[in-house]
């Protein structure tokens, strides 16, 4: 038995009792029935969600559109192909770290060490390749494993010993920052090969226009096939499914968005490798969270630890693994950040990186209270943050103002999250 508190898709909320008598009626979530009513049912469902405070990603998308409109009105260079491409590449490092943060937040916990762990990964790669002449691929794997081990240690202390995650990861923040300074040595900075493996993570572009359009087509076709056959399976199981017309409409909208983005990339340098990797990571992690037993266990823990334990979930194992995942993505993000500046230095992982990674996950829609969120939230959130940074930079506005604006956006998001949670409790959905 598992407890699923995801807000991912209604089809996951069918309640069945295999021990019931043959004549018993299977209980079906009423929200599934809107699919039988076509678009009229979805309009009714949308109104119900508004009343219940379940707005999903709508506020973030609207906020992002407003941000882009404001900065474009202030500077006509903001929505140029070059600037949008630069924004998408710059967001990957922080976005990778935010993906790991999403996993931790789903448990209702926090990881304050990700900034320092990301710095350690970049420093480890630089020392191993430049100082010791190790193979770039081997050093790359070891750097990522360093983050995984660091996260697993935090998870072990939290899950097995019972030290609060806040305290454990705060200690980790200090320890791993000191460890990074130690391995970098007196020089404090190690430059990376500009043509090396890590450097190419953010500098390589697929210049052939077919690459961007091909990816857009592949994403669109994959979405349609997934939705179409998913609906067929639900129909075969007697579960309400989306009408074909809605699936086609969703596919057309996705195709328009995908090909517009591809056209923007092709107007500049082409399709960035960093963005391809980031999208692949989001697809894989979203599948893990929404379509696997392990993902359902994570959501269950975010809902109720005691109920999860009684349901037979290995709480300690899940907690340790989640923090290991957080450390892994922190290391991957650190390598992308090192790639962006083509070096590892003493400032890596410091500054506003930790704040931005956590803010990206929360602004994107992941709840601080646990049990609600998707890894796609990291994409939306980091896009908001980096857009603000680039927009303010174009206007020549100093960093202190950037911090204040980002902090204000984060506070507004947390307030909305708290209000939404209260509204859902009132509506009986929390």
């Amino acid at each position: 038995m598992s407890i699923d508190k995801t807000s991912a898709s209604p089809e996951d909320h069918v309640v069945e009792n295999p021990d019931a008598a043959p004549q018993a009626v299977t209980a079906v979530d009423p929200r599934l029935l809107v699919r039988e009513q076509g678009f009229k049912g979805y309009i009714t469902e949308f109104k119900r969600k508004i009343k219940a405070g379940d707005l999903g990603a709508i506020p973030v998308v609207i906020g992002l559109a407003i941000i882009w409109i404001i900065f474009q009105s202030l500077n006509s260079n903001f929505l140029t192909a070059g600037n949008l491409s630069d924004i998408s590449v710059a967001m990957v490092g922080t976005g990778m770290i935010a993906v790991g943060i999403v996993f931790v937040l789903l448990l209702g916990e926090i990881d304050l060490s990700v900034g320092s762990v990301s710095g350690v990964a970049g420093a480890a790669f630089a020392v191993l390749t430049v100082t010791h002449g190790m193979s770039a691929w081997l050093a790359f794997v070891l750097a990522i494993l360093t983050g995984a081990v660091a996260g697993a240690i935090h998870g072990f202390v939290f899950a097995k010993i019972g030290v609060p995650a806040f305290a454990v990861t705060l200690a980790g923040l200090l320890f791993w920052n000191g460890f990074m300074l130690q391995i970098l040595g007196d020089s404090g900075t190690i430059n990376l090969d500009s043509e090396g493996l890590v450097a190419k993570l953010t500098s390589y572009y697929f210049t052939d226009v077919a690459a961007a359009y091909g990816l857009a087509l592949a994403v669109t076709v994959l979405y349609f096939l997934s939705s179409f056959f998913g609906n067929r399976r639900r129909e075969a199981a007697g579960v309400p499914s989306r009408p074909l017309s809605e699936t086609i409409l969703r596919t057309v909208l996705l195709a328009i968005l995908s090909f517009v983005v591809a056209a923007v990339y092709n107007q500049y340098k082409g399709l960035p490798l960093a963005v391809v990797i980031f999208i692949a990571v989001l697809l894989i992690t979203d599948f893990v969270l929404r379509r696997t037993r392990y993902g359902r266990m994570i959501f269950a823990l975010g809902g109720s630890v005691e109920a999860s334990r009684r349901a037979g979930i290995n709480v300690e194992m899940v907690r340790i693994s989640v923090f290991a995942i957080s450390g892994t993505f922190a290391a991957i993000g650190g390598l992308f950040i090192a790639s962006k500046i083509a070096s590892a230095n003493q400032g890596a992982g410091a500054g506003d990186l930790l704040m931005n990674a956590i803010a990206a996950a929360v602004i994107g829609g992941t709840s601080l209270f646990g049990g609600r969120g998707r890894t796609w939230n990291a994409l939306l959130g980091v896009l908001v943050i980096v857009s603000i940074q680039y927009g303010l930079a174009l206007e020549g506005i100093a960093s202190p103002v950037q911090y204040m604006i980002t902090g204000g956006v984060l506070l507004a998001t947390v307030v909305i999250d708290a209000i939404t949670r209260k509204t859902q409790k009132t509506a009986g959905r929390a």
Side-chain angles (χ1 to χ4, degrees), residues 50-127:
I50 293 294
K51 293 180 180 179
D54 185 10
L55 302 179
I58 294 176
V60 187
V61 174
I62 294 175
L64 181 62
I66 292 173
I67 290 170
W68 282 12
I69 291 172
I70 291 174
F71 284 127
Q72 177 64 16
S73 65
L74 294 174
N75 193 315
S76 60
N77 291 323
F78 182 79
L79 290 181
T80 59
N83 192 58
L84 291 176
S85 180
D86 290 342
I87 287 175
S88 67
V89 173
M91 74 180 186
V92 173
T94 304
M96 287 290 191
I97 301 174
V99 169
I101 290 291
V102 168
F103 276 80
V104 177
L105 289 179
L106 287 175
L107 294 182
E109 303 296 341
I110 194 67
D111 188 348
L112 301 179
S113 69
V114 289
S116 296
V117 172
S118 71
V120 167
F125 178 85
V127 170

Side-chain angles (χ1 to χ4, degrees), residues 2 5 56 119 205 211 278 308 329 352 368 375:
S2 63
K5 287 197 63 177
Y205 291 77
F278 190 36
S308 300
F329 280 110
D352 59 352
L368 281 169
T375 50

Side-chain angles (χ1 to χ4, degrees), residues 148-178:
V149 170
I153 293 173
H154 301 154
F156 179 85
V157 177
F158 165 56
K160 291 289 187 179
I161 302 178
V163 180
F166 178 89
V168 175
T169 56
L170 179 60
L173 180 154
L174 299 173
F175 177 85
W176 297 115
N177 185 61

